[in-house]
Amino acid sequence: MTSAGDRLVATTRLRDRARRQEQHEAHYHEARVLLLIDRFTGAKKGLDGLTKLAKLDFLLRYPAMLERLLAEDGIPWPDGAQPTSAERLSVESRMTRYKYGPWDHRYYTVLGSLAARDLITYSGTDRAEFRITASGAVAAAMLAETDEWAVVAKRVTLLKKHFNKSGTTLKTLIYDRLPDAVDRPWRMEI
């Protein structure tokens, strides 16, 4: 029979493990979003709107869906950016179907964390514009050079080159050309 003290220790260990896992996932999402905002920030304009961010992030997180769009348009993958066979069969981090297509409830937390650490700024009235800061650009460049993030950085560059469209245009593109991604009830995983 276990004592109350043993149960408390076991419960504390489980909570600590869950917190570490949650923190690891948060850092993962922050890194990916930072790379997106960095690449889409230009001299005069940043990444324009949450809808655009979410749709680009969807294509980044679901490389099999991005691959379908590229194939339909006759656009080849850059060397080293092609999805692996495992990526074609699975998703690294699921999104849910929401009002305007794929969505992740963590965006507000991720963006707030990046802004609080002075890696990005955001502003806007009707629609937020996300811009990389000088320290964010340094962090993104360092991240893109790591083995773990180099492929993601190449894919972000591909998105910038071929899918630098408005959020509404990207939403329509996903609805029209990837109906299986949005043909489901709200709040259901894609």
Side-chain angles (χ1 to χ4, degrees):
M1 187 174 251
T2 60
S3 69
D6 290 340
R7 284 191 301 272
L8 179 60
V9 168
T11 301
T12 302
R13 283 186 186 149
L14 286 173
R15 277 193 203 127
D16 288 345
R17 187 178 309 147
R19 263 191 231 115
R20 282 192 304 275
Q21 178 64 26
E22 189 176 301
Q23 205 169 33
H24 175 73
E25 285 182 23
H27 292 314
Y28 172 78
H29 293 293
E30 290 168 5
R32 191 185 62 254
V33 169
L34 182 70
L35 288 172
L36 269 169
I37 293 171
D38 176 60
R39 188 65 187 103
F40 280 82
T41 296
K44 296 181 181 181
K45 190 174 180 183
L47 195 152
D48 195 22
L50 269 171
T51 301
K52 182 173 182 172
L53 173 68
K55 300 322 164 238
L56 291 168
D57 191 39
F58 167 73
L59 294 173
L60 192 57
R61 287 161 74 167
Y62 290 73
M65 297 286 185
L66 175 57
E67 186 169 51
R68 286 170 46 192
L69 295 178
L70 293 173
E72 285 180 26
D73 292 341
I75 301 168
W77 283 100
D79 287 339
Q82 304 89 338
T84 64
S85 54
E87 286 179 311
R88 286 185 177 98
L89 299 174
S90 66
V91 175
E92 49 84 0
S93 180
R94 293 217 170 262
M95 296 178 81
T96 57
R97 159 73 163 91
Y98 200 56
K99 292 179 186 175
Y100 305 109
W103 180 255
D104 190 328
H105 67 279
R106 293 174 280 225
Y107 287 131
Y108 296 112
T109 305
V110 165
L111 293 165
S113 177
L114 293 173
R117 289 181 287 145
D118 192 38
L119 299 173
I120 67 164
T121 61
Y122 58 91
S123 61
T125 51
D126 297 349
R127 164 184 350 183
E129 179 185 2
F130 306 98
R131 296 183 63 77
I132 199 79
T133 63
S135 56
V138 169
M142 290 172 53
L143 209 61
E145 292 177 11
T146 67
D147 291 339
E148 184 180 4
W149 290 99
V151 171
V152 174
K154 286 180 183 180
R155 290 176 184 169
V156 170
T157 299
L158 176 75
L159 288 171
K160 170 74 174 187
K161 182 176 181 180
H162 298 287
F163 296 94
N164 190 11
K165 304 170 186 320
S166 73
T168 301
T169 301
L170 289 169
K171 175 190 69 94
T172 302
L173 178 82
I174 290 168
Y175 271 76
D176 290 349
R177 294 177 53 194
L178 302 171
D180 50 321
V182 291
D183 190 19
R184 58 193 72 223
W186 283 9
R187 295 185 178 88
M188 180 175 264
E189 278 191 349
I190 299 172

PDB file of all heavy atoms in Angstrom, residues 16-35:
ATOM      1  N   ASP A  16       5.022  17.835 -13.181  1.00  0.00           N
ATOM      2  CA  ASP A  16       6.265  18.415 -13.692  1.00  0.00           C
ATOM      3  C   ASP A  16       6.562  17.926 -15.105  1.00  0.00           C
ATOM      4  O   ASP A  16       6.964  18.701 -15.965  1.00  0.00           O
ATOM      5  CB  ASP A  16       7.438  18.080 -12.769  1.00  0.00           C
ATOM      6  CG  ASP A  16       7.397  18.829 -11.457  1.00  0.00           C
ATOM      7  OD1 ASP A  16       6.631  19.812 -11.349  1.00  0.00           O
ATOM      8  OD2 ASP A  16       8.143  18.437 -10.523  1.00  0.00           O
ATOM      9  N   ARG A  17       6.339  16.656 -15.341  1.00  0.00           N
ATOM     10  CA  ARG A  17       6.561  16.100 -16.677  1.00  0.00           C
ATOM     11  C   ARG A  17       5.596  16.736 -17.682  1.00  0.00           C
ATOM     12  O   ARG A  17       5.986  17.089 -18.795  1.00  0.00           O
ATOM     13  CB  ARG A  17       6.377  14.580 -16.656  1.00  0.00           C
ATOM     14  CG  ARG A  17       6.759  13.940 -17.981  1.00  0.00           C
ATOM     15  CD  ARG A  17       6.627  12.440 -17.987  1.00  0.00           C
ATOM     16  NE  ARG A  17       7.307  11.849 -16.850  1.00  0.00           N
ATOM     17  CZ  ARG A  17       6.884  10.743 -16.231  1.00  0.00           C
ATOM     18  NH1 ARG A  17       5.809  10.122 -16.641  1.00  0.00           N
ATOM     19  NH2 ARG A  17       7.553  10.261 -15.206  1.00  0.00           N
ATOM     20  N   ALA A  18       4.349  16.899 -17.292  1.00  0.00           N
ATOM     21  CA  ALA A  18       3.353  17.518 -18.179  1.00  0.00           C
ATOM     22  C   ALA A  18       3.730  18.975 -18.461  1.00  0.00           C
ATOM     23  O   ALA A  18       3.604  19.435 -19.600  1.00  0.00           O
ATOM     24  CB  ALA A  18       1.968  17.435 -17.551  1.00  0.00           C
ATOM     25  N   ARG A  19       4.203  19.699 -17.447  1.00  0.00           N
ATOM     26  CA  ARG A  19       4.626  21.091 -17.654  1.00  0.00           C
ATOM     27  C   ARG A  19       5.810  21.183 -18.602  1.00  0.00           C
ATOM     28  O   ARG A  19       5.849  22.062 -19.466  1.00  0.00           O
ATOM     29  CB  ARG A  19       5.003  21.735 -16.302  1.00  0.00           C
ATOM     30  CG  ARG A  19       3.892  22.542 -15.725  1.00  0.00           C
ATOM     31  CD  ARG A  19       4.359  23.380 -14.534  1.00  0.00           C
ATOM     32  NE  ARG A  19       3.435  23.102 -13.460  1.00  0.00           N
ATOM     33  CZ  ARG A  19       3.726  22.498 -12.319  1.00  0.00           C
ATOM     34  NH1 ARG A  19       4.943  22.156 -12.026  1.00  0.00           N
ATOM     35  NH2 ARG A  19       2.795  22.262 -11.427  1.00  0.00           N
ATOM     36  N   ARG A  20       6.789  20.291 -18.442  1.00  0.00           N
ATOM     37  CA  ARG A  20       7.948  20.292 -19.339  1.00  0.00           C
ATOM     38  C   ARG A  20       7.521  19.993 -20.773  1.00  0.00           C
ATOM     39  O   ARG A  20       8.004  20.618 -21.717  1.00  0.00           O
ATOM     40  CB  ARG A  20       8.993  19.286 -18.867  1.00  0.00           C
ATOM     41  CG  ARG A  20       9.826  19.775 -17.698  1.00  0.00           C
ATOM     42  CD  ARG A  20      11.036  18.891 -17.438  1.00  0.00           C
ATOM     43  NE  ARG A  20      10.706  17.491 -17.215  1.00  0.00           N
ATOM     44  CZ  ARG A  20      10.358  16.958 -16.056  1.00  0.00           C
ATOM     45  NH1 ARG A  20      10.292  17.705 -14.980  1.00  0.00           N
ATOM     46  NH2 ARG A  20      10.089  15.665 -15.968  1.00  0.00           N
ATOM     47  N   GLN A  21       6.620  19.041 -20.956  1.00  0.00           N
ATOM     48  CA  GLN A  21       6.120  18.704 -22.293  1.00  0.00           C
ATOM     49  C   GLN A  21       5.379  19.899 -22.901  1.00  0.00           C
ATOM     50  O   GLN A  21       5.572  20.228 -24.070  1.00  0.00           O
ATOM     51  CB  GLN A  21       5.199  17.481 -22.237  1.00  0.00           C
ATOM     52  CG  GLN A  21       4.607  17.087 -23.571  1.00  0.00           C
ATOM     53  CD  GLN A  21       5.639  16.640 -24.580  1.00  0.00           C
ATOM     54  OE1 GLN A  21       6.708  16.162 -24.220  1.00  0.00           O
ATOM     55  NE2 GLN A  21       5.334  16.817 -25.848  1.00  0.00           N
ATOM     56  N   GLU A  22       4.552  20.536 -22.112  1.00  0.00           N
ATOM     57  CA  GLU A  22       3.811  21.713 -22.584  1.00  0.00           C
ATOM     58  C   GLU A  22       4.764  22.837 -22.965  1.00  0.00           C
ATOM     59  O   GLU A  22       4.579  23.502 -23.981  1.00  0.00           O
ATOM     60  CB  GLU A  22       2.857  22.171 -21.480  1.00  0.00           C
ATOM     61  CG  GLU A  22       1.886  23.245 -21.893  1.00  0.00           C
ATOM     62  CD  GLU A  22       0.920  23.570 -20.764  1.00  0.00           C
ATOM     63  OE1 GLU A  22       0.200  22.652 -20.324  1.00  0.00           O
ATOM     64  OE2 GLU A  22       0.913  24.732 -20.332  1.00  0.00           O
ATOM     65  N   GLN A  23       5.809  23.040 -22.166  1.00  0.00           N
ATOM     66  CA  GLN A  23       6.792  24.080 -22.453  1.00  0.00           C
ATOM     67  C   GLN A  23       7.546  23.752 -23.746  1.00  0.00           C
ATOM     68  O   GLN A  23       7.790  24.632 -24.570  1.00  0.00           O
ATOM     69  CB  GLN A  23       7.757  24.184 -21.283  1.00  0.00           C
ATOM     70  CG  GLN A  23       8.413  25.519 -21.142  1.00  0.00           C
ATOM     71  CD  GLN A  23       9.144  25.610 -19.811  1.00  0.00           C
ATOM     72  OE1 GLN A  23       9.679  24.621 -19.299  1.00  0.00           O
ATOM     73  NE2 GLN A  23       9.171  26.791 -19.251  1.00  0.00           N
ATOM     74  N   HIS A  24       7.910  22.485 -23.924  1.00  0.00           N
ATOM     75  CA  HIS A  24       8.596  22.066 -25.150  1.00  0.00           C
ATOM     76  C   HIS A  24       7.715  22.340 -26.367  1.00  0.00           C
ATOM     77  O   HIS A  24       8.187  22.866 -27.380  1.00  0.00           O
ATOM     78  CB  HIS A  24       8.964  20.581 -25.075  1.00  0.00           C
ATOM     79  CG  HIS A  24       9.558  20.054 -26.342  1.00  0.00           C
ATOM     80  ND1 HIS A  24      10.832  20.367 -26.750  1.00  0.00           N
ATOM     81  CD2 HIS A  24       9.039  19.250 -27.305  1.00  0.00           C
ATOM     82  CE1 HIS A  24      11.074  19.783 -27.906  1.00  0.00           C
ATOM     83  NE2 HIS A  24      10.002  19.091 -28.262  1.00  0.00           N
ATOM     84  N   GLU A  25       6.430  21.995 -26.285  1.00  0.00           N
ATOM     85  CA  GLU A  25       5.501  22.248 -27.391  1.00  0.00           C
ATOM     86  C   GLU A  25       5.358  23.745 -27.657  1.00  0.00           C
ATOM     87  O   GLU A  25       5.312  24.164 -28.813  1.00  0.00           O
ATOM     88  CB  GLU A  25       4.139  21.632 -27.092  1.00  0.00           C
ATOM     89  CG  GLU A  25       4.108  20.141 -27.248  1.00  0.00           C
ATOM     90  CD  GLU A  25       2.728  19.557 -26.989  1.00  0.00           C
ATOM     91  OE1 GLU A  25       1.729  20.288 -27.105  1.00  0.00           O
ATOM     92  OE2 GLU A  25       2.658  18.362 -26.671  1.00  0.00           O
ATOM     93  N   ALA A  26       5.295  24.544 -26.612  1.00  0.00           N
ATOM     94  CA  ALA A  26       5.172  25.997 -26.783  1.00  0.00           C
ATOM     95  C   ALA A  26       6.385  26.540 -27.529  1.00  0.00           C
ATOM     96  O   ALA A  26       6.237  27.339 -28.464  1.00  0.00           O
ATOM     97  CB  ALA A  26       5.006  26.682 -25.437  1.00  0.00           C
ATOM     98  N   HIS A  27       7.579  26.098 -27.154  1.00  0.00           N
ATOM     99  CA  HIS A  27       8.793  26.564 -27.831  1.00  0.00           C
ATOM    100  C   HIS A  27       8.800  26.141 -29.292  1.00  0.00           C
ATOM    101  O   HIS A  27       9.227  26.894 -30.162  1.00  0.00           O
ATOM    102  CB  HIS A  27      10.042  26.038 -27.120  1.00  0.00           C
ATOM    103  CG  HIS A  27      10.266  26.616 -25.771  1.00  0.00           C
ATOM    104  ND1 HIS A  27      10.174  27.963 -25.492  1.00  0.00           N
ATOM    105  CD2 HIS A  27      10.578  26.028 -24.592  1.00  0.00           C
ATOM    106  CE1 HIS A  27      10.411  28.181 -24.217  1.00  0.00           C
ATOM    107  NE2 HIS A  27      10.649  27.014 -23.636  1.00  0.00           N
ATOM    108  N   TYR A  28       8.315  24.953 -29.556  1.00  0.00           N
ATOM    109  CA  TYR A  28       8.241  24.460 -30.923  1.00  0.00           C
ATOM    110  C   TYR A  28       7.334  25.359 -31.782  1.00  0.00           C
ATOM    111  O   TYR A  28       7.710  25.774 -32.877  1.00  0.00           O
ATOM    112  CB  TYR A  28       7.723  23.010 -30.923  1.00  0.00           C
ATOM    113  CG  TYR A  28       7.435  22.504 -32.295  1.00  0.00           C
ATOM    114  CD1 TYR A  28       8.475  22.091 -33.125  1.00  0.00           C
ATOM    115  CD2 TYR A  28       6.144  22.466 -32.787  1.00  0.00           C
ATOM    116  CE1 TYR A  28       8.220  21.647 -34.406  1.00  0.00           C
ATOM    117  CE2 TYR A  28       5.886  22.027 -34.068  1.00  0.00           C
ATOM    118  CZ  TYR A  28       6.929  21.615 -34.867  1.00  0.00           C
ATOM    119  OH  TYR A  28       6.672  21.198 -36.146  1.00  0.00           O
ATOM    120  N   HIS A  29       6.159  25.671 -31.282  1.00  0.00           N
ATOM    121  CA  HIS A  29       5.223  26.521 -32.023  1.00  0.00           C
ATOM    122  C   HIS A  29       5.771  27.941 -32.167  1.00  0.00           C
ATOM    123  O   HIS A  29       5.627  28.564 -33.219  1.00  0.00           O
ATOM    124  CB  HIS A  29       3.848  26.527 -31.353  1.00  0.00           C
ATOM    125  CG  HIS A  29       3.161  25.203 -31.419  1.00  0.00           C
ATOM    126  ND1 HIS A  29       2.727  24.640 -32.594  1.00  0.00           N
ATOM    127  CD2 HIS A  29       2.847  24.306 -30.453  1.00  0.00           C
ATOM    128  CE1 HIS A  29       2.174  23.461 -32.359  1.00  0.00           C
ATOM    129  NE2 HIS A  29       2.236  23.241 -31.061  1.00  0.00           N
ATOM    130  N   GLU A  30       6.395  28.441 -31.136  1.00  0.00           N
ATOM    131  CA  GLU A  30       6.987  29.784 -31.201  1.00  0.00           C
ATOM    132  C   GLU A  30       8.071  29.846 -32.266  1.00  0.00           C
ATOM    133  O   GLU A  30       8.144  30.818 -33.025  1.00  0.00           O
ATOM    134  CB  GLU A  30       7.546  30.178 -29.839  1.00  0.00           C
ATOM    135  CG  GLU A  30       6.471  30.446 -28.811  1.00  0.00           C
ATOM    136  CD  GLU A  30       7.002  30.565 -27.391  1.00  0.00           C
ATOM    137  OE1 GLU A  30       8.247  30.526 -27.190  1.00  0.00           O
ATOM    138  OE2 GLU A  30       6.173  30.695 -26.474  1.00  0.00           O
ATOM    139  N   ALA A  31       8.917  28.824 -32.343  1.00  0.00           N
ATOM    140  CA  ALA A  31       9.998  28.816 -33.331  1.00  0.00           C
ATOM    141  C   ALA A  31       9.441  28.822 -34.753  1.00  0.00           C
ATOM    142  O   ALA A  31       9.911  29.578 -35.616  1.00  0.00           O
ATOM    143  CB  ALA A  31      10.897  27.592 -33.108  1.00  0.00           C
ATOM    144  N   ARG A  32       8.445  28.010 -35.005  1.00  0.00           N
ATOM    145  CA  ARG A  32       7.856  27.925 -36.347  1.00  0.00           C
ATOM    146  C   ARG A  32       7.202  29.250 -36.742  1.00  0.00           C
ATOM    147  O   ARG A  32       7.415  29.758 -37.847  1.00  0.00           O
ATOM    148  CB  ARG A  32       6.845  26.774 -36.393  1.00  0.00           C
ATOM    149  CG  ARG A  32       6.364  26.413 -37.773  1.00  0.00           C
ATOM    150  CD  ARG A  32       5.284  25.356 -37.761  1.00  0.00           C
ATOM    151  NE  ARG A  32       4.111  25.832 -37.061  1.00  0.00           N
ATOM    152  CZ  ARG A  32       3.743  25.436 -35.830  1.00  0.00           C
ATOM    153  NH1 ARG A  32       4.422  24.522 -35.179  1.00  0.00           N
ATOM    154  NH2 ARG A  32       2.670  25.940 -35.253  1.00  0.00           N
ATOM    155  N   VAL A  33       6.445  29.842 -35.836  1.00  0.00           N
ATOM    156  CA  VAL A  33       5.777  31.118 -36.114  1.00  0.00           C
ATOM    157  C   VAL A  33       6.809  32.236 -36.272  1.00  0.00           C
ATOM    158  O   VAL A  33       6.670  33.102 -37.135  1.00  0.00           O
ATOM    159  CB  VAL A  33       4.729  31.436 -35.019  1.00  0.00           C
ATOM    160  CG1 VAL A  33       4.212  32.856 -35.138  1.00  0.00           C
ATOM    161  CG2 VAL A  33       3.572  30.433 -35.105  1.00  0.00           C
ATOM    162  N   LEU A  34       7.869  32.197 -35.479  1.00  0.00           N
ATOM    163  CA  LEU A  34       8.937  33.192 -35.616  1.00  0.00           C
ATOM    164  C   LEU A  34       9.562  33.123 -37.001  1.00  0.00           C
ATOM    165  O   LEU A  34       9.782  34.161 -37.643  1.00  0.00           O
ATOM    166  CB  LEU A  34      10.006  32.971 -34.531  1.00  0.00           C
ATOM    167  CG  LEU A  34      11.150  33.981 -34.541  1.00  0.00           C
ATOM    168  CD1 LEU A  34      10.660  35.354 -34.074  1.00  0.00           C
ATOM    169  CD2 LEU A  34      12.291  33.500 -33.646  1.00  0.00           C
ATOM    170  N   LEU A  35       9.828  31.921 -37.503  1.00  0.00           N
ATOM    171  CA  LEU A  35      10.392  31.772 -38.849  1.00  0.00           C
ATOM    172  C   LEU A  35       9.440  32.323 -39.910  1.00  0.00           C
ATOM    173  O   LEU A  35       9.873  32.975 -40.867  1.00  0.00           O
ATOM    174  CB  LEU A  35      10.729  30.310 -39.137  1.00  0.00           C
ATOM    175  CG  LEU A  35      11.940  29.746 -38.389  1.00  0.00           C
ATOM    176  CD1 LEU A  35      12.046  28.234 -38.605  1.00  0.00           C
ATOM    177  CD2 LEU A  35      13.225  30.437 -38.815  1.00  0.00           C
TER     178      LEU A  35
END
